[in-house]
Structure formats: structure tokens, C-alpha cells
Amino acid sequence: MSGWTYVDGRFVPKEEASVSVYDHGFLYGDGVFEGIRVYGGRVFKLDEHVRRLYESAKSILLEIPIPPEEMKRLILEAVRRNGLQDAYVRPIVTRGRGDLGIDPRKCGRPTVVVIVDQIQLYPERAYREGLRMITATHRKSPSDSLNPRIKSLNYLNQILARLEANLAGADEALMLNHEGYVCECSADNVFVVRSGEVWTPPAHLGILRGVTRDAVLEIARDLGIPAFERTFTLHDVYTADEVFLTGTGAEIGPVVWVDGRVIGSGKPGPLTLRLLQAYRELTAREGTPVYEDSLAAPGGSG
Ligand code: PXG
């Protein structure tokens, strides 16, 4: 697919988009990013994603060289330039180009990249039949080491967990914190349904506070389904009526098998499917319009 990518102040053809090998995002994973969906020409939860991007950056003392409102305009323009109605947008901000030492003071200006691409959806089978998940032996990195609330370019912790899932022939890996409490999956948040209640681990346990997770908590409450943040263990997962994961890419993915335990009936649960339908209605209805917005910067990208 042809298209345009924003790199450091200008749009370039996708095939030509590149950053320096001296960029500390490449050398050390020193940077932050977001993953955002566009549905029917509307950017879903743009404010929430941009807020999290700036919070991640602030936490690692990375000053994004443009203000949040300009970042939003840039994201909308990037989608517009690619002429897509449905897309996946990946804003990335790195520490920038430095030398071979880790010291961020050697980096000049942070690198800003916005990639727009087509979204690779989970196969429809995943929603019809459900996903299989294993618990990774790799624990979530503790909040006082590398806080999982920061959506940084340092994804090795999650990748090591995903490799375990791949080796086991599973779709996703569940990750625990060092106390053994359920945290989240390698690249999705996790929920359990027990006796009509919906539980997901609290953010302070050491997880990424997913935008989809927050939207699902809100949808559940709107539907009159009791939904809480709660600390729980693998036992609560194995014996749950339903389990599902959430993420920008996955939306709401039913989980029917965890570490050899069949969850509920072994099919996607009724509450999960109800939430998925409500979530899809929300994504079809809400969002910042790409092609008719007042935020749009007239003309070029600067
Ligand atoms: N936890 C982690 C660790 C994540 O990376 C989520 C939860 C869900 O968050 P949102 O805000 O999307 O509801 C993510 C999502 C992938 C992929 O390939 C997923 C994510 C990032 C990059 C790639 O599935 N993040």
C-alpha cells in the first residue's frame, strides 16, 4: 500500500520514511508511542490517546516539541493525507538522535513520527470461537523499575511473554506482577466475569491503563452491569464464567481457554458478546471527524 508518513516535520512517502540509527528510540527504546484506531472517518478516543502520550513522555522527562493540540491536528492530517476511512495510527516520539552513550542529554530534538496504516484485525474466528491464553513465566516489570503505565518503546517485557504464548501455540499471554496478582496480557488488558460482575485489575497494580479498558468499564456501567477494578489471582481467572481481553487492535476478544482450563462453556460468553456489540456501536458513533474537522490545519504539515 502506498501512503504518507510524517517524520520530523514533513510527510514523506511511506517507503522512504526512516530515522537515524543514532536515534535513541532505535538504540535504547528511549521513547513513547500510541496506537489509535480510525473508524468510518472518525478517530476514536483521540483526546485520551494524546493525553496518555504526553503523560508517558512527561514521566520519562521527554519534552514533545509540539503542544498536544498540534499533535491532534497532525494525527488528523496524517489520516487525511492517506485518504483512509478505517485505519490504525501510530504516533511515536523518541529522545532523538544522540551518540552511542545512553545519556539523553546528548540527544538534540526529539523525533516525532506519525504512521498511518491499515489495521490488521484479529481473524473473525477469534471472535466466533474465542482465544487461547497461557500465563507467562515472565512477570510484569514492577512499577518501581519500569512503570507499565508508561507506553514506552521498551516492549521486551511484553515481547518475552508473547514469545511464550507463541511457543505454546496460544493467542495471548497473561502476565502477573511479582506478588502473583493478575495484571494484563502482553498487549491487551484483561477482564473476568463472575456472577454477573465484571472485574479488571486496578491500574496501580502495574499495568497499562488501556483506553479500551476504560471505555469498556464505562459501557458496562451504562448497561447496568456492575464493573469494578479489583485485585484477583489466577484462580479467579480459571474459575470465571467469562474472560475477555481489550485493546485498540483487539477491541474485545473473548478468551475460552487459559492454561488448559476451559473457561465457562468454552464459547464466547453472553456478557462478553453484549459488551463487544456495545463497543462496536460506540466506535461507529463516536470520534473526532477526520475530513470535516475544525481543527484541521489548512495546507501543509510545517
Ligand atoms: N496493555 C498493553 C501492555 C498494551 O500494549 C493494551 C494494554 C491495551 O491498551 P489500549 O489503550 O489499546 O486499549 C496495550 C495495547 C499489538 C500492539 O501489536 C498492542 C499495543 C501496542 C502495540 C502493539 O497488539 N498496545
Side-chain angles (χ1 to χ4, degrees):
M1 188 195 99
S2 62
W4 297 88
T5 303
Y6 180 88
V7 187
D8 258 346
R10 63 200 187 97
F11 281 92
V12 296
K14 192 175 164 179
E15 315 74 53
E16 291 166 28
S18 60
V19 294
S20 164
V21 293
Y22 287 92
D23 193 293
H24 280 209
F26 175 74
L27 284 173
Y28 300 116
D30 188 358
V32 295
F33 76 102
E34 275 300 321
I36 310 174
R37 287 280 286 272
V38 182
Y39 293 95
R42 290 166 186 275
V43 183
F44 188 62
K45 302 281 183 193
L46 178 62
D47 289 354
E48 286 80 353
H49 283 287
V50 169
R51 190 178 311 128
R52 188 171 65 183
L53 181 71
Y54 281 74
E55 286 182 359
S56 293
K58 183 165 188 184
S59 192
I60 67 163
L61 282 169
L62 171 62
E63 201 174 328
I64 300 178
I66 56 173
E69 285 309 309
E70 207 175 312
M71 178 65 76
K72 289 180 200 169
R73 273 197 293 273
L74 188 57
I75 289 167
L76 292 169
E77 191 186 345
V79 179
R80 222 168 11 244
R81 288 223 180 192
N82 285 280
L84 294 173
Q85 290 291 322
D86 296 286
Y88 183 79
V89 188
R90 172 65 56 90
I92 304 157
V93 184
T94 79
R95 194 76 63 181
R97 203 183 311 169
D99 65 13
L100 291 178
I102 65 165
D103 192 343
R105 286 176 303 188
K106 298 282 176 58
C107 303
R109 197 181 146 90
T111 303
V112 178
V113 172
V114 181
I115 304 169
V116 178
D117 214 320
Q118 246 130 15
I119 173 82
Q120 184 69 50
L121 294 167
Y122 264 85
E124 198 46 44
R125 174 198 64 84
Y127 299 91
R128 225 176 29 246
E129 295 170 16
L131 300 162
R132 290 157 62 91
M133 194 156 77
I134 53 108
T135 304
T137 63
H138 287 87
R139 301 289 174 103
K140 285 300 292 183
S141 71
S143 299
D144 56 359
S145 295
L146 176 57
N147 196 324
R149 296 248 343 237
I150 302 166
K151 200 168 170 68
S152 82
L153 294 177
N154 231 295
Y155 253 55
L156 259 189
N157 184 227
Q158 292 88 314
I159 289 164
L160 287 166
R162 179 63 69 92
L163 285 168
E164 291 188 54
N166 294 352
L167 286 169
D171 301 295
E172 245 293 18
L174 188 59
M175 299 184 78
L176 313 177
N177 69 6
H178 268 92
E179 290 183 294
Y181 292 119
V182 172
C183 281
E184 61 177 331
C185 305
S186 72
D188 296 290
N189 289 112
V190 70
F191 285 72
V192 296
V193 180
R194 297 181 62 92
S195 306
E197 291 181 1
V198 172
W199 302 351
T200 196
H204 67 75
L205 227 55
I207 62 165
L208 183 77
R209 189 171 157 193
V211 170
T212 318
R213 168 190 179 275
D214 285 1
V216 168
L217 283 172
E218 200 179 315
I219 289 170
R221 288 167 190 154
D222 286 349
L223 291 174
I225 301 163
F228 314 106
E229 295 184 284
R230 243 195 91 142
T231 304
F232 56 90
T233 65
L234 272 179
H235 178 74
D236 299 295
V237 176
Y238 295 155
T239 60
D241 301 319
E242 303 177 30
V243 175
F244 61 86
L245 48 80
T246 67
T248 295
E251 299 182 322
I252 299 176
V255 176
V256 296
W257 187 98
V258 184
D259 298 334
R261 282 79 167 176
V262 173
I263 304 302
S265 65
K267 294 205 180 87
L271 227 147
T272 304
L273 294 176
R274 221 174 122 203
L275 288 169
L276 175 59
Q277 191 195 335
Y279 183 78
R280 285 187 170 161
E281 282 166 16
L282 185 70
T283 59
R285 181 171 78 232
E286 255 194 13
T288 310
V290 173
Y291 297 97
E292 57 200 70
D293 67 285
S294 55
L295 284 170
S301 55

